[in-house]
Each structure stands twice: as C-alpha cells, then as structure tokens.
Amino acid sequence: MTETRVPRQRLSTEQRQDEIVRATMDLVGEQGVEQVTTQAIADHIGLTQGAIFRHFASKEAIWLAVVRWIRERLLSAVDRAAAPARDPMDALQRIFFAHVDFAERHPAASRLLTTTNAAVRRVLREMLDGYEARIAALVEEAQYQGRARADLDPGAAAAAFTATIQGLVVRVLVLDTRPSMSAEARRIWPLLAAGLAAPGANPAGDADAGT
C-alpha cells in the first residue's frame, strides 16, 4: 500500500518569515548562535535551504528579523507590566520581573548577544540604548517624586538595571548555577531596589508585583 503524503500548508510570506524566525529562535536557544546554519533552520521546519532564501535575502537578514522579533515582544511585555504601576519605582520593579520572565521564556534573546555579526550587534546596541533610556526616564521621574536617591545618575542606574538582568542570565542560562531565573530575581531585586530608593522609602515593595 502506498503512503499518501500530506502536502505542507501554504503560508503567506509573512507567516513563513515568522516561522523561520521562530525556528531560528528555537535553535539559538538550544545550540547558541554560532552553531545555527540556514540548513539547520530549513531542516527544523521541513523546508529546503532554497526556500529559506526565497523569504530572506541572506542569513544576516534572518538575524535582523530575529532581533526585531525580540525587540517588539520584549518592549510590549515590559509596557504591559508597567501599565498598572502605582509610581515609577513600582514600574521599575514590574519591568524588572517582566524582563526576567521574558529572558527565561526566550533564552535565544540572551544568547543572541554573543553574535559577532556587526550589523546585528549594531541593532542590538540600538535596542539596548532605547531600553535603557526608558529605564533612565523612570529613575528621573522617581527622583522628581522623591522616591529615588537624588544623587543617582539615571543613565548609570539604567545600565546597572540591565546589567543585573544580564548577570542573572549568565548565572542561570549560561553557567547553569541556579535552578530558576525568576527565583534568583526575587532574591536580587531587593538589593537593586535598595540602591535606587531614596532614604526612608520602601525600596523593595512587593517582590511578586512583576510576576
């Protein structure tokens, strides 16, 4: 008896590009950046390598699409988290935990930081600059309200904020020294918050606000 092959569903260009981006994210999360090839991406979703290049002009174009995918979803996640915040310090806490949750669910987002591709690194740098500008603006607002230390450099505070999350990523996803990034984040946040808060303010708040 001959086997009847079920044809692959035809997808629009946008749908196929999204499928390729998600496949790339899966592979980066499992293997790291340097091990991912266009042939591996094609195999992962059952396409030919030629089909990949019908939707993206180059491998670099795939990486740039992955960065855009990460940027849009990360910023959307932190915006949703910050929306119900009572004040800027509460917003910072909610963003911190939302970012950690995103990094835990999408390990490729962090592993992509190791790429050596100059164009991709430039876009990542722009994304980080924009993200830290948001954090710095919240720190400034907290200073204006008397909730954050007046002597803080908002830019340096924003850099420390993102560096703390990146450190958690290294400890948990790369070095595998802790079982849960979220659990580790709950231990670390009070220390970061204490460094930001004005004297006499409640620095840590509710550590579950962002989860």
Side-chain angles (χ1 to χ4, degrees), residues 12 19 27 37 41 43 61 81 113 127 147 201:
S12 67
E19 183 183 41
L27 292 170
T37 65
I41 297 168
D43 292 342
L113 296 173
M127 181 177 75
R147 297 179 180 276

Side-chain angles (χ1 to χ4, degrees), residues 12-198:
S12 67
T13 296
E14 184 176 288
Q15 290 172 320
R16 187 67 76 193
Q17 286 175 335
D18 185 67
E19 183 183 41
I20 292 167
V21 166
R22 289 176 181 274
T24 305
M25 292 276 291
D26 289 344
L27 292 170
V28 171
E30 295 168 3
Q31 305 172 12
V33 175
E34 300 306 322
Q35 286 69 41
V36 177
T37 65
T38 50
Q39 185 62 59
I41 297 168
D43 292 342
H44 191 73
I45 52 181
L47 294 176
T48 65
Q49 196 171 15
I52 298 292
F53 288 117
R54 282 199 293 274
H55 296 285
F56 288 99
S58 64
K59 187 178 180 182
E60 181 177 282
I62 298 174
W63 290 127
L64 291 173
V66 168
V67 174
R68 287 193 294 271
W69 190 98
I70 293 168
R71 178 179 59 197
E72 290 170 5
R73 284 157 182 80
L74 173 59
L75 295 182
S76 177
V78 299
D79 282 347
R80 287 196 306 272
R86 300 181 303 274
D87 57 64
M89 288 296 288
D90 185 33
L92 287 170
Q93 178 175 322
R94 291 171 181 274
I95 288 172
F96 180 83
F97 285 105
H99 191 156
V100 168
D101 177 68
F102 183 90
E104 198 162 34
R105 288 185 295 107
H106 302 290
S110 302
R111 293 194 168 123
L112 194 62
L113 296 173
T114 64
T115 182
T116 58
N117 183 286
V120 176
R121 289 184 68 85
R122 184 174 62 253
V123 176
L124 285 169
R125 179 72 253 179
E126 291 170 357
M127 181 177 75
L128 180 61
D129 287 346
Y131 182 90
E132 289 188 349
R134 291 182 179 210
I135 301 303
L138 283 170
V139 172
E140 286 190 83
E141 186 180 350
Q143 288 176 313
Y144 178 76
Q145 295 181 10
R147 297 179 180 276
R149 285 170 40 194
D151 61 342
L152 284 177
D153 177 332
F161 185 97
T162 55
T164 300
I165 296 171
Q166 289 163 357
L168 286 169
V169 167
V170 171
R171 284 166 64 82
V172 178
L173 294 184
V174 180
L175 300 180
D176 196 26
T177 61
R178 294 292 184 276
S180 166
M181 194 185 305
S182 297
E184 193 71 351
R186 285 192 291 272
R187 294 198 322 130
I188 297 297
W189 170 253
L191 302 176
L192 178 60
L196 296 173

